[in-house]
Amino acid sequence: MIRFTLNGTQIEVQDGENRTLLEYLRNVKCMKGTKEACSTGHCGACSVLVDGRLTRSCVTLMHRLDGKAVETIENAPNDTMLQVIQHSFLDVGAVQCGFCTPGMVMATKALLLHHPAPTEPEICDGLKNNYCRCTGYVKIIEAVKLAAARLRGEEPDIDSFRSYESTVIVVGENQVVPEITGSAVGKSVWDVDGMDKTGGKLKFCDDLTAEDIGADTLLHGAFVWAPAPHAKINAVDYSAAEQAEGVVRIVTAADVPGMNKVGTWTPEQPVFCTDEVRFLGDHLALVVADTAAHARAAAKLVKIDYEELPGIYTMADGYRKNSFIVHTGRVSGDVEQAKQRTDIVKLNVSKDIEPQEHACMEPVSAIGMVQDGKTILYACTQAPFEIRSMLAKILDKPEEDIRVIVTPLGGGFGKKCDSFLEAPAVVAAHACGKPVKITLTRKEDLILTTKRHGYHTDYEIGFTPDGKFQYLDCRMFSDGGPYECESYGTLMTGALMSGGPYIIPNVKVEGSAIRNNNLQGGAFRGYGINQAAISIETAMDMMAEKLGIDPFE
């Protein structure tokens, strides 16, 4: 028998328990304040205290807890120290999406238990294993300094802890959210989710239980993934998976009532693939079972007979093979005529810009259900109306019969503008007659979800010797992956912003998104502008050097 205390309560579990502390907290005790983000001990979202020391619960096995004391964020109502830290985070505005915040609060307590007056380097060292994608850490460091001072019995002026800027936060009495009357425009109002975020009470999609959505049960889905980046599927044998423990149903393209495609601009990506897969994030089926562990175990039993096909993995190869998703561009003035001027100073520059992962702390998750004849979707999406429109075609139902409920986002940054899990979740819910949740692991999230497009740009710019911009001749290519997703929108924006903020009388821009078998390109902060900005600003600096002019002039 393994015996330990959890937030002051004595706990006993059987010897031989092979799950992690995080799995026990979330799936057995239903304590969702400790978040699951990486499951590999890298990000700190799962941080708890074990005998007063910071511990990553996702890699801590239960047998290591015998005789120890475990404390989680749920102990905040009973712990003055945690409450002071919570309020300090809110008072300086150190909370944004809130997904990493419970782990950050626990890390702060662990630090201050051993360093009641920490220096800034000590704070950075204490929080080095806790990632925050939103804030940039400046205000988190301010919050730790403020909490430390308060716990030492001081009553400091909050503004004395501000490093770079001042944030005005209006709070209610006793941390009660003040009611907003009339228009809120122009008013500073308190973060209505603030206490829930710092206390781990704000429920993200994967935190939702059957009770939370008003259901008696909640099934779980795991994908049968593509066996290769590009392959012909000859046959799929589901027999072993169908007989596996806990399996309720295996959902395939045959269960899709309407259009078997998703896509923000142009529906291209199959909800479930049938005879061909075009990148590693494609899936053939969804194994639905009573638990996520059973679903994943069964999915591994599926046998796929396939023939690997030649793939396209570089933009240059896609260009040679005339493999394009979309073309766009713009023209103003007469670039060719401008090039003929004898006083023009010309410069050519090419840039290769790598794809970029959004690294949202919260992995993508969705829950589909049918209630009173209506389809309900819970999802961490940035595009609820676009999703509802897609689902109407996929389910062959009117939009008014579909409700999309956006759960709190543990980071978005553009990643969650596209559809990933929403269609499979609701199709599975209809097929099984019960709610179905799908939550990706970090590895699956990296494979399936979109990235900032990789770009190759070729810029030719022409200036007169006095530093006046005369023409821009530009070609840009984006690494789109196998399906359109947001490739058109981002490429169009990149073409529009290819010249940056500069007045250019003659412009010619040609843009092409390359179709290939890489991971998919999609929306990211800047939406295509960043790649253009890097290209034009590099060219401008090089031209300034060539002309002997200060770049800022």
Side-chain angles (χ1 to χ4, degrees), residues 107 111-112 114-128 141 144:
L111 170 67
L112 298 184
H114 303 283
H115 299 281
T119 62
E120 187 161 318
E122 287 174 333
I123 294 173
C124 293
D125 185 65
L127 301 180
K128 66 183 179 182
I141 294 171
V144 177

Side-chain angles (χ1 to χ4, degrees), residues 403-474:
R403 183 184 181 195
V404 178
I405 300 173
V406 178
T407 56
L409 267 64
F413 320 114
K415 175 196 283 280
K416 295 168 183 175
C417 288
D418 279 301
S419 174
F420 305 115
L421 309 182
E422 294 84 356
V426 297
V427 168
H430 277 271
C432 298
K434 294 180 180 180
V436 177
K437 178 195 284 187
I438 310 170
T439 300
L440 299 182
T441 65
R442 179 59 59 182
K443 179 180 179 181
E444 292 169 341
D445 189 289
L446 289 170
I447 291 173
L448 174 58
T449 61
T450 56
K451 313 290 176 255
R452 190 193 298 279
H453 290 79
Y455 262 60
H456 174 83
T457 59
D458 295 315
Y459 270 57
E460 180 179 321
I461 59 176
F463 274 67
T464 50
D466 60 354
K468 297 292 180 64
F469 215 145
Q470 297 301 317
Y471 75 83
L472 165 66
D473 189 356
C474 164

Side-chain angles (χ1 to χ4, degrees), residues 213-351:
I213 62 174
D216 295 328
T217 187
L218 180 57
L219 302 176
H220 298 264
F223 286 118
V224 177
W225 297 98
H230 191 202
K232 175 185 176 184
I233 304 301
N234 298 320
V236 184
D237 182 1
Y238 296 109
S239 57
E242 290 170 335
Q243 301 302 315
E245 182 180 1
V247 171
V248 175
R249 184 177 180 129
I250 297 179
V251 181
T252 67
D255 294 297
V256 179
M259 177 181 69
N260 185 35
K261 292 180 180 179
V262 298
T264 303
W265 291 84
T266 303
E268 289 187 333
Q269 183 175 359
V271 178
F272 295 108
C273 294
T274 53
D275 56 353
E276 186 177 355
V277 292
R278 294 173 175 84
F279 83 122
L280 288 174
D282 270 336
H283 30 264
L284 299 168
L286 183 75
V287 178
V288 180
D290 57 348
T291 69
H294 285 158
R296 292 187 183 283
K300 293 178 181 178
L301 301 176
V302 175
K303 297 178 181 179
I304 305 172
D305 178 13
Y306 68 96
E307 175 188 346
E308 190 160 357
L309 300 174
I312 297 173
Y313 302 108
T314 67
M315 285 185 277
D317 191 29
Y319 182 81
R320 287 192 296 269
K321 294 176 179 176
N322 200 33
S323 180
F324 299 104
I325 294 174
V326 68
H327 301 280
T328 189
R330 66 186 179 99
V331 175
S332 63
D334 191 332
V335 168
E336 294 306 319
Q337 184 177 12
K339 287 183 179 183
Q340 303 307 313
R341 290 179 51 171
T342 58
D343 60 341
I344 290 291
V345 179
K346 301 179 181 179
L347 184 144
N348 293 83
V349 59
S350 296
K351 299 289 290 184

